[in-house]
């Protein structure tokens, strides 16, 4: 495991629901110092109430300055120009480098080595500006498929980023396959799960959360952000076919869900604390991943999948590539009829014994194991970089091909 480094993590807001970057950095902060950079430069805001609120919140965080997360991690929100393009890139290079350097000046220990880990695809200009021993690109999404992103500009920016990164990680096989010819040192590392946390739904008697105590069972539950990838029409038609089943969404809604709000068996309880999610999962009878099939979701590796399974839940999902590996604990369905039938069958088959076995099936897929593997690969990249600095020979990994133009 990495030790005694100062890691600059370019990521989305720390306050968001825990993602791979949150789990990795929280574990790495046990033995390293972390500067978490809340980066908001990849997307140009639209003229909407939601984006106006997003801008206000981002400016509020900018004004808050450097904030502690734990004993060895701080977060900072730099002022940046939102958007990807020549002018935005030039502005952000100036603003971002200056702000991060000022934080490093305050928090870096004498002689401490710096690493840069970027979960954003468009900060290639940071490479070499912080005196880092290694530059890591951790690709967790097909960013060009997100609404509001300039797809072509993001693709070009990510290509530049991979050209300067020392090591690249991809969190799904689809992401890996589309990038494996773009970098000679790329690794597919699937997500882990906070198993001990979510297994409480199986091994402990958990009280039903107040927000759903009045809702009748059985309950089909979804935990996460409701955005353009959530198939609202699919779920509307499924809920109509299962009037005796309560559908519960735990998470923030950033899409028009009026078609679901009008249904008597559909319930939105809002975003809930991470600490309370096992209790919600304990109350569910089946976990849902009703994602629209798109270029973006074809590349996604839903963290909620392993969390549902750790909580012992059967899962019904649209046929996303990364989800197929978990059949038969996951039932795949793309149309309302088969999705509804799968929910019914999953609910009818739920037993305490089945929940225990399902939870155990992902017990070895911990975030600690993922972090250990990634740490080893990062340090290998450090050693390769040091070797290249001595002999100036191009990087060649045994069994890999040289990077192609991407």
């Amino acid at each position: 495991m990495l030790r005694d480094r100062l890691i600059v993590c370019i990521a989305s807001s720390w306050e968001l629901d825990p993602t791979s970057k949150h789990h990795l950095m929280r574990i790495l902060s046990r033995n390293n110092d972390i500067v978490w950079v809340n980066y908001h430069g990849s997307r140009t805001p639209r003229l909407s109430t939601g984006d106006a609120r997003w801008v206000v919140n981002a400016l509020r965080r900018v004004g808050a300055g450097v904030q502690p997360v734990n004993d060895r991690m701080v977060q900072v929100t730099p002022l940046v120009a939102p958007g990807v393009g020549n002018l935005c890139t030039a502005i952000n290079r100036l603003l971002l480098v200056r702000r991060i350097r000022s934080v490093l000046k305050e928090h870096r220990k004498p002689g401490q080595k710096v690493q840069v880990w970027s979960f954003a695809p468009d900060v290639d200009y940071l490479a070499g500006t912080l005196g880092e021993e290694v530059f890591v690109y951790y690709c967790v999404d097909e960013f060009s498929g997100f609404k509001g992103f300039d797809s072509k500009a993001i693709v070009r920016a990510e290509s530049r980023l991979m050209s300067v990164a020392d090591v690249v990680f991809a969190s799904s096989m689809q992401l890996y396959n589309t990038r494996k010819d773009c970098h000679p040192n790329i690794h597919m590392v699937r997500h882990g799960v906070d198993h001990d946390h979510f297994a409480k739904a199986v091994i402990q008697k958990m009280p039903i959360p107040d927000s759903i105590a009045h809702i009748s069972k059985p309950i089909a539950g979804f935990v996460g952000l409701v955005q353009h990838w959530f198939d609202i029409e699919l779920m509307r038609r499924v809920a109509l076919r299962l009037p005796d089943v309560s559908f519960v969404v735990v998470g923030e809604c950033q899409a028009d869900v009026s078609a679901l709000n009008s249904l008597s068996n559909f319930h939105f309880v809002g975003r809930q604390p991470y600490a309370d999610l096992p209790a919600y999962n304990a109350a569910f009878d089946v976990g849902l991943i009703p994602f629209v099939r798109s270029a973006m979701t074809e590349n996604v590796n839903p963290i909620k999948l392993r969390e549902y399974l750790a909580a012992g839940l059967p899962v019904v999902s649209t046929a996303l590539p990364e989800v197929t590996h978990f059949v038969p604990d996951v039932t795949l369905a793309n149309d309302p009829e088969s999705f509804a039938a799968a929910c019914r069958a999953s609910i009818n088959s739920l037993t305490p014994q089945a929940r225990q076995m399902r939870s155990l099936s992902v017990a070895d897929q911990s975030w600690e194991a993922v972090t250990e593997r990634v740490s080893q690969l990062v340090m290998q990249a450090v050693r390769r970089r040091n070797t290249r600095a001595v002999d100036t020979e191009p990087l060649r990994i045994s069994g890999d091909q040289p990077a192609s133009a991407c």
Side-chain angles (χ1 to χ4, degrees):
M1 192 78 75
L2 280 171
R3 299 185 67 89
D4 303 324
R5 263 62 181 182
L6 192 157
I7 299 173
V8 177
C9 176
I10 312 297
S12 51
S13 295
W14 176 260
E15 285 81 7
L16 296 177
D17 294 326
T19 62
S20 55
K21 40 193 170 284
H22 292 80
H23 291 293
L24 287 164
M25 291 301 143
R26 194 182 294 278
I27 292 170
L28 288 171
S29 71
R30 297 170 187 166
N31 299 301
N32 302 272
D33 296 306
I34 311 293
V35 174
W36 178 287
V37 180
N38 297 314
Y39 177 71
H40 302 292
S42 301
R43 184 174 73 89
T44 303
R46 295 164 292 178
L47 294 175
S48 67
T49 302
D51 275 5
R53 187 164 51 247
W54 173 78
V55 170
V56 170
N57 288 335
L59 291 175
R60 176 182 54 80
R61 287 192 289 269
V62 170
V66 179
Q67 296 292 312
V69 174
N70 60 35
D71 289 344
R72 301 198 64 175
M73 189 189 314
V74 298
Q75 62 166 314
V76 61
T77 304
L79 182 66
V80 295
V84 179
N86 292 336
L87 179 58
C88 287
T89 297
I91 294 173
N92 288 342
R93 176 187 175 92
L94 176 65
L95 295 174
L96 200 58
V97 171
R98 179 180 296 175
R99 188 67 178 105
I100 295 174
R101 281 178 173 170
S102 70
V103 178
L104 294 187
K105 185 177 181 180
E106 181 179 352
H107 292 274
R108 185 181 182 184
K109 298 181 176 70
Q112 190 175 31
K113 294 180 179 178
V114 174
Q115 297 186 354
V116 177
W117 292 41
S118 180
F119 291 82
D122 55 323
V123 292
D124 58 286
Y125 50 81
L126 283 181
T129 64
L130 303 175
E132 71 275 6
E133 66 173 352
V134 69
F135 194 103
V136 178
Y137 175 42
Y138 209 118
C139 180
V140 295
D141 278 305
E142 185 54 73
F143 293 98
S144 62
F146 280 88
K147 285 186 177 180
F149 282 57
D150 184 332
S151 298
K152 293 182 179 179
I154 286 291
V155 169
R156 291 193 297 268
E158 186 185 57
S159 178
R160 294 193 301 269
L161 184 65
M162 285 192 288
S163 74
V164 298
D166 296 291
V167 59
V168 177
F169 299 107
S171 61
S172 74
M173 184 56 73
Q174 292 287 103
L175 290 172
Y176 174 82
N177 284 337
T178 54
R179 289 158 177 79
K180 63 183 179 181
D181 294 329
C182 301
H183 198 280
N185 190 21
I186 182 169
H187 306 271
M188 203 274 288
V189 180
R190 288 191 169 98
H191 294 321
V193 64
D194 189 353
H195 187 267
D196 290 347
H197 183 58
F198 285 92
K200 295 173 186 175
V202 178
I203 63 178
Q204 296 182 15
K205 180 66 174 177
M206 309 202 78
I208 298 175
D210 291 342
S211 63
I212 60 172
H214 65 287
I215 296 175
S216 62
K217 289 176 72 68
I219 296 176
F222 174 86
V223 179
L225 178 65
V226 177
Q227 252 277 18
H228 61 86
W229 51 78
F230 185 96
D231 197 331
I232 292 172
E233 178 58 18
L234 171 66
M235 291 314 301
R236 185 187 72 83
R237 296 170 67 180
V238 169
L240 288 173
R241 284 170 168 78
L242 300 172
D244 62 311
V245 176
S246 298
F247 291 82
V248 171
V249 172
V250 180
E252 182 181 353
C253 290
Q254 296 181 1
D256 181 2
V257 294
S258 56
L260 300 177
N261 270 326
S262 63
L263 302 177
S264 61
N265 61 332
F266 226 102
H267 310 271
F268 292 88
V269 299
R271 185 183 179 194
Q272 300 297 322
Y274 182 72
D276 296 343
L277 295 186
Y280 282 93
N281 280 283
F284 294 166
D285 297 282
V286 59
L288 305 177
I289 307 179
F291 284 4
V292 174
R293 300 291 300 279
S294 68
M296 189 207 79
T297 59
E298 289 293 298
N299 290 272
V300 76
N301 188 348
I303 291 178
K304 63 177 58 55
L305 169 62
R306 290 168 177 80
E307 293 174 348
Y308 288 153
L309 295 175
L313 288 172
V315 180
V316 178
S317 173
T318 47
L320 309 175
E322 282 297 316
V323 176
T324 61
H325 303 289
F326 291 88
V327 174
D329 289 321
V330 178
T331 305
L332 306 178
N334 290 322
D335 59 84
E337 294 79 11
S338 58
F339 205 100
C343 287
R344 176 72 70 196
S346 297
I347 290 169
N348 290 340
S349 66
L350 189 65
T351 66
Q353 294 76 19
R355 290 193 77 142
Q356 290 174 359
M357 293 300 294
R358 201 172 285 115
S359 179
L360 289 173
S361 71
V362 293
D364 62 341
Q365 300 180 35
S366 68
W367 282 114
E368 283 78 7
V370 172
T371 307
E372 178 62 43
R373 183 187 174 207
V374 169
S375 294
Q376 292 177 5
L377 292 169
V378 167
M379 289 312 298
Q380 287 178 17
V382 171
R383 290 190 289 271
R384 291 189 184 104
R385 180 167 174 169
N386 291 339
T387 299
R388 292 200 310 277
V390 173
D391 60 24
T392 68
E393 289 294 323
L395 173 64
R396 292 292 184 267
I397 309 300
S398 178
D400 287 334
Q401 296 298 317
S404 61
C406 294

